[in-house]
Amino acid sequence: MTSLAAVRRTISAFALAALAGAALAVPASAEEEPLPVSVEGTDSVNLSMHPEPGEPGEPGEPQIELGLRAPGEPVPDENGVTYPIHQGEYTVTVDASSLAGVAAVDFSRLGGWRGCSVEGLVATCHGYEIYAGRDYNDLGGIRLDVTDESAAGDFGTIEVTAAGEGLAFTGHTVDVLVGGPELQMKQLAEPEGFKAGDTFQAPLSFRNVGGLGGKGVVLRMYGSRGLSFPSTYGNCWYDPRDPDELFGSSQALCVFDEEFAAEAAYGLSAPFPVETAGFALYDVMSYSFSAVPADQMADLLAEGDYRAGTGPALGLVRLPDADPADYGRFAEMDFPTKNTFDLDLTGERLRARKGETVSVDVGFANHGPAWLALLRSGGEPIAFWVDLPRGTTVTTVPEGCQAADWEGAEGDYLCRINTPILEDASRTFTFGLRVDEVIRNATGRAFFAYTMPNEGNPANDSGDIVLNPRGRH
């Protein structure tokens, strides 16, 4: 496979000559300073003693990604071509010798399409072009795995250095720890009988499956639009959702400067309250515990617009009888599940003479009480169909609708509405119709092809469109 870098090297002879001419125009006495280039990438790896199983026969994903950063940012020319800022051979050496007996090292994804030569636990990679910035200077990844010799507490480093004429490299070190603290979260379930507007007293806990204990734990909470976290605890900080961001989230961060042991489980000294709004439906809540040294906790608080909570501090309590089967790497739940929305489609009744063009409004509304978010699909639209009355020709199609001219279509037009759909949303779809033939009581309709789960009132999921109705209008 031809690399992006190789493609960019295919420059016309004219361009190369121009570049060479420009270089010759520089006085010989004006020697250029070496180009400063730094090796960047993953700083540390906590190598799990319980790795996730991968696909049979497939190597696991690299935990370490490396690349080069040069001054500036890549800027394409008027033809959209981005040129390197340096051309000339350079060598990158990745030395993982100190991991002998600590971990198995896989260099197969290092060096991209060119690969790297490997001798023992040292890989040597060659390059030719360097671009401004970081994006085009990828070095690839390294995969680490525990072996039969690995033991909790084993430690080593990977040293990355580089050299090349006209280049001044800054190297990089990756620290590797085997069996460090590794926290798994207890899986949660919606309480029986729970409904929108209730407060979920979440029994949060973690289990350290790592081979080492530690000191310092951070709890992170996330809740979508229908969820919020009352500022109850003095060692928690709260960042409420911006009300103008439908996909925004409420967040909370709690700090525990406490010790925890290996192969042990801990729960909160009190349940963590999660309030649900009256419109909440399949809102997303997730939480995670992380092992964070106490001296790094202040940095986490600076990442958001957090406000300190009030009240007593929340603590950790060791749980002697925690079932390992109840814990996993991620913990999230979608709730409440029992709320309903009321989607309503309405048509229109009107009279028109032959040859006349009229506007026909199809109304859509959600009467709540719940919103329809479809958060897991990221705004996937819902759709309804429109059949138009006989004897008419469409002159105007509203935005969001299209002619259903494919086999298997269930109506004349298909109209889509993006989600989330708020609990009080409404919208009008206006069709322009020319009356080609006056047919008494010519009837079409707007309708959903099926009743959606959590629809509280299916009776108004369709509305008639009637032209020239019999009797009074």
Side-chain angles (χ1 to χ4, degrees), residues 26 45 50 132 140 175 225 266 268 283 402 406 424 427 445 449:
V26 178
V45 175
H50 311 278
D175 295 325
R225 176 175 177 259
Y266 296 81
L268 299 181
D283 276 82
Q402 67 180 115
W406 58 87
D424 56 357
R427 182 176 170 185
R445 65 176 183 139

Side-chain angles (χ1 to χ4, degrees), residues 13 68 83 154 200 330 343 360 368 379 392 443 453:
L68 303 178
Y83 293 103
D154 287 350
F200 177 38
F330 306 102
L343 303 186
V360 176
T392 63
T443 302

Side-chain angles (χ1 to χ4, degrees), residues 158-178:
I158 298 176
E159 299 290 342
V160 187
T161 57
E165 186 175 351
L167 300 168
F169 280 100
T170 301
H172 183 70
T173 300
V174 183
D175 295 325
V176 179
L177 173 66
V178 175

Side-chain angles (χ1 to χ4, degrees), residues 356-361 388 392-398 413 429-435:
E356 186 179 355
T357 297
V358 294
S359 295
V360 176
D361 291 337
L388 295 172
T392 63
T393 298
V394 175
T395 60
T396 305
V397 179
Y413 284 82
F429 296 80
T430 302
F431 287 85
L433 296 184
R434 185 183 69 239
V435 179

Side-chain angles (χ1 to χ4, degrees), residues 385 404-411:
W385 297 90
D405 53 2
W406 58 87
E407 184 177 351
E410 299 188 46

Side-chain angles (χ1 to χ4, degrees), residues 348-389:
E348 191 173 10
R349 298 166 66 88
L350 66 157
R351 297 183 182 278
R353 292 186 292 271
K354 183 176 181 178
E356 186 179 355
T357 297
V358 294
S359 295
V360 176
D361 291 337
V362 173
F364 166 83
N366 178 18
H367 303 306
W371 72 325
L372 176 57
L374 301 181
L375 293 173
R376 293 296 182 182
S377 57
E380 178 182 351
I382 65 169
F384 65 90
W385 297 90
V386 177
D387 277 332
L388 295 172

Side-chain angles (χ1 to χ4, degrees), residues 322-338:
D323 185 351
D326 294 339
Y327 292 79
R329 185 163 298 189
F330 306 102
E332 58 184 14
M333 59 184 290
D334 298 354
F335 78 110
T337 61
K338 305 303 181 187

